[in-house]
Amino acid sequence: MAWRSSGTSNTELVENLWRNKLITQPLVKAAFLGVDRAHYAPSAPYDDSPQPIGHQATISAPHMHAHAVETLLPFLLPSDSSATSADSHAKGAKEAQVIGHPGRPRRVLDIGSGSGYLTHVLAELVGETGVVVGLEHIPALKELGEKNMAKSPEGRHLLDSGRVRFRVGDGRKGWSEPSPTGSAGQQPGVGGPADTGESVEEEGGWDAIHVGAAAVELHEELVRQLRSPGRMFIPVEDEGGWEQYIWTVDKDEKGEIRKERLYGVRYVPLTDAPK
Ligand code: SAH
C-alpha cells in the first residue's frame, strides 16, 4: 500500500496519499501541502518510505505521518474558530471534529521530533495561538529540526514567533513548557483523575502528544501530562519486544483514561540518549 503513494513532487505525494485514503480530511491535506518534505528528508523526499537522517534516526514514512495527524486532528484544531486565519481552515474546521475547551490555545508535544517535519505539519493545524514543542534527546537532531524548518519563510516565522520550539530532553518524561501566557517554569496542568475541575483551566499540559519512537511501555508521566481532554499517539513494543503497535491514549473531560491498540508498526526505539 505504502509505495503506491510515492510521487515526484510534494503535491503529487500528498495527492496520492489522498487518493489512497491515507489522508481523508481536507485540513490534513492542506497542512501536508503546506510543508515541503524536501526540506526535511535528505534523499527521495517524495517516496512514501522512511529515510535515514543520521544518528540512527529516520524521518518516518509519509503514510505514518498522515495517520498520526489524522488520529490527533480533533485535539489539534483550534477550539475557537476565530483563532484561525486561513479561510480554508475555517471551512474545513466546520466539517472536522474538534475536542477541547473553547478558546484555550492548543499545546502539542512531538516527542522524537527528528527531522522536524511532523512538528511543522502539526504547527500548520493548531492555529495562530497554538504552540508545538518538538522534543529530542540528541542535541544535533534538535538543531537539525530547527535548521530544516528555517528553510522556508513559513517555517522561519513559526520559529521566530515561538509557536514552534525545539527542546532537548528525555521524551519518556514528557516536557514542561510555559504556555504563551504562562510564566516560565510553570508546571503542566495535568487534569488527571484526582484533579478537580479547576485544574483543566490551567495553561499547562498537552492537548496532543505524538511519540515518534517506540516506547517499552505507555509511560505514566506522559499520560499524566495529557490535558482533559487530550490524546496521545504512541508506538509501544509488546512484551516480548518482537512487535510494536500504535496505541492511542485518550483522557476525557473527567480525567478517565481509555487505551486502544491499533495496528503493528516499525519505529526506532525510544531510548536513553547516546553517551
Ligand atoms: N518524527 C521524527 C521521527 C524521528 S525517529 C521524524 O519523522 O523525523 C525517532 C526519534 O526519536 C529520533 O530522532 C531519536 O533521536 C528520538 N528519540 C529516541 N529516544 C528518545 C527519547 N528518550 N527522548 C527524546 N527523543 C528520543
Side-chain angles (χ1 to χ4, degrees):
M1 168 64 96
W3 57 268
R4 285 201 291 134
S5 298
S6 296
T8 58
S9 66
N10 201 58
T11 304
E12 200 176 296
L13 167 66
V14 177
E15 289 295 344
N16 288 342
L17 290 165
W18 178 262
R19 198 163 40 79
N20 292 328
K21 299 195 167 42
L22 295 158
I23 295 177
T24 65
Q25 310 195 59
L27 287 177
V28 175
K29 186 179 180 186
F32 275 77
L33 286 171
V35 182
D36 190 343
R37 207 164 172 277
H39 293 162
Y40 294 90
S43 63
Y46 308 126
D47 279 5
D48 190 10
S49 59
Q51 311 286 343
I53 55 170
H55 305 274
Q56 294 176 342
T58 57
I59 175 170
S60 300
H63 67 274
M64 277 314 306
H65 285 144
H67 191 256
V69 175
E70 291 251 324
T71 304
L72 292 172
L73 189 66
F75 299 86
L76 301 175
L77 297 174
S79 42
D80 169 5
S81 60
S82 67
T84 64
S85 54
D87 282 347
S88 67
H89 219 291
K91 187 165 160 282
K94 270 191 208 139
E95 293 147 29
Q97 188 192 20
V98 178
I99 303 174
H101 284 221
R104 184 163 70 172
R106 291 303 200 182
R107 288 165 47 83
V108 176
L109 182 62
D110 182 21
I111 295 174
S113 51
S115 66
Y117 173 79
L118 189 70
T119 320
H120 190 166
V121 174
L122 293 167
E124 290 285 310
L125 289 159
V126 297
E128 301 275 318
T129 59
V131 166
V132 183
V133 174
L135 186 61
E136 252 305 326
H137 67 164
I138 298 178
L141 287 175
K142 175 246 184 202
E143 279 158 31
L144 179 73
E146 279 169 343
K147 197 177 106 216
N148 287 340
M149 190 169 279
K151 289 176 187 170
S152 67
E154 310 81 55
R156 279 198 296 282
H157 178 65
L158 286 169
L159 289 170
D160 292 347
S161 63
R163 284 164 57 199
V164 170
R165 307 160 195 172
F166 289 96
R167 304 289 191 233
V168 175
D170 183 350
R172 294 169 294 191
K173 301 193 173 85
W175 188 252
S176 166
E177 176 80 9
S179 70
T181 54
S183 54
Q186 186 181 348
Q187 288 302 305
V190 291
D195 288 314
T196 65
E198 272 172 57
S199 64
V200 293
E201 295 307 319
E202 290 177 21
E203 296 292 344
W206 307 101
D207 294 278
I209 299 178
H210 172 265
V211 186
V216 292
E217 57 175 310
L218 286 170
H219 294 285
E220 265 316 305
E221 181 56 21
L222 299 183
V223 178
R224 198 184 71 81
Q225 291 185 15
L226 276 180
R227 282 175 161 177
S228 300
R231 176 174 292 169
M232 173 160 68
F233 178 101
I234 178 170
V236 184
E237 285 179 10
D238 69 6
E239 281 194 6
W242 296 108
E243 288 172 35
Q244 303 170 356
Y245 294 89
I246 293 293
W247 287 73
T248 52
V249 180
D250 278 24
K251 191 185 277 182
D252 72 11
E253 284 283 339
K254 297 188 192 122
E256 307 227 335
I257 307 291
R258 202 167 64 91
K259 301 173 182 175
E260 194 179 351
R261 195 180 90 161
L262 300 184
Y263 50 86
V265 286
R266 186 169 289 266
Y267 277 67
V268 303
L270 193 65
T271 58
D272 291 335
K275 293 273 176 284

